[in-house]
Amino acid sequence: MNLELSPDERRFREEVRAFLAKHLTPEIREGAAATPSVFVEPDIGQAWNAILNRQGWLGYQWPKEYGGTGWTPVQRYLFEKECAEAGAPNLTVLGLKLVAPVIYTFGTAQQKAHYLPRILSGEDYWCQGFSEPASGSDLASLQCRAVKDGDRYILNGSKIWTTHAHWANRMFCLARTDASGHKSTGISFLLVDMNQPGISVRPILTLAGDHEVNQVFLEDVVVPVTDLVGAEGDGWKLAKFLLENERGGSCHAPKLAYDLRRICADAADQPDGAGGAMAGNADWRRRAARARLGVESLEMIELKILSEIAQGRAPGPQTSLVKLLASNLRQEIDLMAMDLLGLAGLELDTRRPLYGPDAPPPVHSRQTQVAAARYLNSRAWTIFGGTNEVQASIIAKTVLNL
């Protein structure tokens, strides 16, 4: 694996840097910095999406025929790294990186023509209807039922931990269409209009104090047969495809490295309780070094996956390794920020503006304020997208042959 950038790749990197310097506004950057979770709220995320869409870069991971950029895997990595370094918000992952690949890979021509442009334009904002109250990590045990009635399905059940369902107008949903066979064979993948009778969204306020997730109740909800993706009963196959994209569809290392550098910079201004700065504390330095080595190791794995994609090979179970390592590193880095800045965040004057000449200095602004909330929110990293235990089992079975 050659880690040296070619002249064309260096020129591309400079193009991305120039674009970010011009178009990533202070308001969007500060909104991203004030976000305690993976998902920025739509007023921030959709504003940034619109800027990228005008540039033709929003669907950079998509095939070119569906609105993608045609970038190489290295260009995609460089784009994500420069966005992380610049403090750009995460893209709206549920539509762009989860349901869109399912639609352009398995959907009908009609579904592709209708939904893909609306994801890029922001007309459709998606949520994910997978988890259920009684299913936990055993997704195949879901009980939400879809009964076929002529040219439509009638959907009944409940979904939980549904991120941004209170903002979404569309849901991609797993529902049981056949209960007669093995529990994973009778599941179908449906596209649901959230703006119809029979759907109610109940907020779930997390320990971090945010309203990010919800429980969604579905009572006699109508889904046209034309909004079934793939064949009836293909839902389990499509869900596994989607989850591989969720676990390895983006590079986590650049954002983790950015957050770690910011924390280590802040350590120079934080006392260690022994008369010095935390940055000079031996225990802190060892902890930061371990985290840095972990991030660099993760980056090498992600670059190896990109190299295999460039050669036409699917990454397969390596995405589980990425998810496992990235989840643990995210929690460790957020714990470091909490240990360093958490109490200081309680003293921040939140009446001061987010940006502008009267804003607080960066060291004691958003990163300090959100340290505790990010730490609490990141507890979910080892659960969503498949728990750490699920990832370890996948690696044991498919890589180690245990």
Side-chain angles (χ1 to χ4, degrees), residues 11-24 48-64 66-71 75-76 78-80 82-83 86 88 91-92 96-97 119-121:
R11 281 191 291 271
F12 174 80
R13 182 180 61 188
E14 293 307 312
E15 180 187 1
V16 173
R17 286 177 177 175
F19 172 83
L20 291 169
K22 181 177 180 180
H23 295 286
L24 182 57
W48 181 231
N49 286 0
I51 292 170
L52 291 175
N53 193 37
R54 287 194 293 270
Q55 181 72 6
W57 288 0
L58 182 57
Y60 69 96
Q61 292 185 317
W62 298 13
K64 195 168 185 179
Y66 300 123
T69 57
W71 289 346
Q75 288 175 311
R76 287 165 45 185
L78 289 172
F79 174 73
E80 292 192 9
E82 294 304 320
C83 284
L91 296 184
T92 310
L96 287 167
K97 297 185 178 183
I119 292 173
L120 292 176
S121 69

Side-chain angles (χ1 to χ4, degrees), residues 115-136:
Y115 286 115
L116 296 178
R118 292 172 64 89
I119 292 173
L120 292 176
S121 69
E123 293 174 79
D124 284 342
Y125 193 85
W126 290 81
C127 62
Q128 178 178 13
F130 277 23
S131 296
E132 295 186 4
S135 292

Side-chain angles (χ1 to χ4, degrees), residues 267-346:
D269 294 325
Q270 297 295 323
D272 68 350
M278 188 64 79
N281 181 277
D283 289 338
W284 173 267
R285 292 175 65 184
R286 279 192 291 269
R287 188 176 178 186
R290 284 195 298 268
R292 189 177 299 112
L293 287 172
V295 172
E296 290 175 357
S297 299
L298 175 64
E299 184 176 43
M300 291 300 102
I301 295 171
E302 291 180 331
L303 288 170
K304 182 68 165 61
I305 289 175
L306 290 175
S307 176
E308 294 193 355
I309 292 173
Q311 298 174 54
R313 295 197 295 268
Q318 289 186 78
T319 60
S320 290
L321 182 59
V322 167
K323 173 62 168 58
L324 185 68
L325 294 176
S327 297
N328 290 336
L329 284 165
R330 169 49 62 197
Q331 291 184 347
E332 170 59 18
I333 290 171
D334 287 344
L335 177 58
M336 290 174 66
M338 177 65 177
D339 290 343
L340 185 71
L341 303 169
L343 292 178
L346 300 178

Side-chain angles (χ1 to χ4, degrees), residues 35-340:
T35 298
S37 69
V38 176
F39 300 92
V40 296
E41 293 194 357
D43 60 335
I44 302 164
Q46 295 295 74
W48 181 231
N49 286 0
I51 292 170
L52 291 175
N53 193 37
R54 287 194 293 270
Q55 181 72 6
W57 288 0
L58 182 57
Y60 69 96
Q61 292 185 317
W62 298 13
K64 195 168 185 179
E65 61 266 31
Y66 300 123
T69 57
W71 289 346
T72 66
V74 173
Q75 288 175 311
R76 287 165 45 185
Y77 171 77
L78 289 172
F79 174 73
E80 292 192 9
K81 185 169 186 177
E82 294 304 320
C83 284
E85 295 284 348
N90 294 328
L91 296 184
T92 310
V93 64
L94 293 165
L96 287 167
K97 297 185 178 183
L98 297 189
V99 73
V102 172
I103 291 173
Y104 64 63
T105 303
F106 300 101
T108 64
Q110 179 185 359
Q111 289 168 346
K112 296 174 189 178
H114 178 73
Y115 286 115
L116 296 178
R118 292 172 64 89
I119 292 173
L120 292 176
S121 69
E123 293 174 79
D124 284 342
Y125 193 85
W126 290 81
C127 62
Q128 178 178 13
F130 277 23
S131 296
E132 295 186 4
S135 292
S137 294
D138 183 15
L139 190 58
S141 67
L142 64 86
Q143 297 300 310
C144 182
R145 293 295 305 273
V147 178
K148 194 170 184 181
D149 179 22
D151 61 355
R152 62 182 189 168
Y153 290 97
I154 305 300
L155 192 60
N156 282 279
S158 174
K159 298 293 180 176
I160 202 166
W161 314 125
T162 315
T163 302
H164 282 200
H166 54 303
W167 299 112
N169 68 319
R170 305 291 311 185
M171 173 195 283
F172 54 96
C173 177
L174 293 180
R176 186 163 303 284
T177 48
D178 183 1
S180 62
H182 187 274
K183 61 182 182 180
S184 66
T185 61
I187 297 172
S188 297
F189 195 104
L190 301 172
L191 308 178
V192 181
D193 180 2
M194 293 285 286
N195 296 325
Q196 61 172 301
I199 296 181
S200 57
V201 178
R202 178 182 298 171
I204 298 173
L205 301 183
T206 71
L207 193 62
D210 54 46
H211 176 198
E212 183 181 25
V213 294
N214 307 270
Q215 185 169 3
V216 179
F217 298 91
L218 307 153
E219 185 177 353
D220 293 334
V221 170
V222 175
V223 181
V225 170
T226 53
D227 281 332
L228 167 72
V229 183
E232 190 174 286
D234 275 354
W236 189 247
K237 177 181 74 175
L238 271 60
K240 289 196 294 183
F241 172 86
L242 182 147
L243 288 170
E244 281 194 3
N245 280 333
E246 182 176 6
R247 293 163 186 161
S250 298
C251 292
H252 299 283
K255 184 65 168 66
L256 291 166
Y258 171 77
D259 288 344
L260 181 60
R261 280 197 300 274
R262 291 182 68 197
I263 294 166
C264 290
D266 287 352
D269 294 325
Q270 297 295 323
D272 68 350
M278 188 64 79
N281 181 277
D283 289 338
W284 173 267
R285 292 175 65 184
R286 279 192 291 269
R287 188 176 178 186
R290 284 195 298 268
R292 189 177 299 112
L293 287 172
V295 172
E296 290 175 357
S297 299
L298 175 64
E299 184 176 43
M300 291 300 102
I301 295 171
E302 291 180 331
L303 288 170
K304 182 68 165 61
I305 289 175
L306 290 175
S307 176
E308 294 193 355
I309 292 173
Q311 298 174 54
R313 295 197 295 268
Q318 289 186 78
T319 60
S320 290
L321 182 59
V322 167
K323 173 62 168 58
L324 185 68
L325 294 176
S327 297
N328 290 336
L329 284 165
R330 169 49 62 197
Q331 291 184 347
E332 170 59 18
I333 290 171
D334 287 344
L335 177 58
M336 290 174 66
M338 177 65 177
D339 290 343
L340 185 71

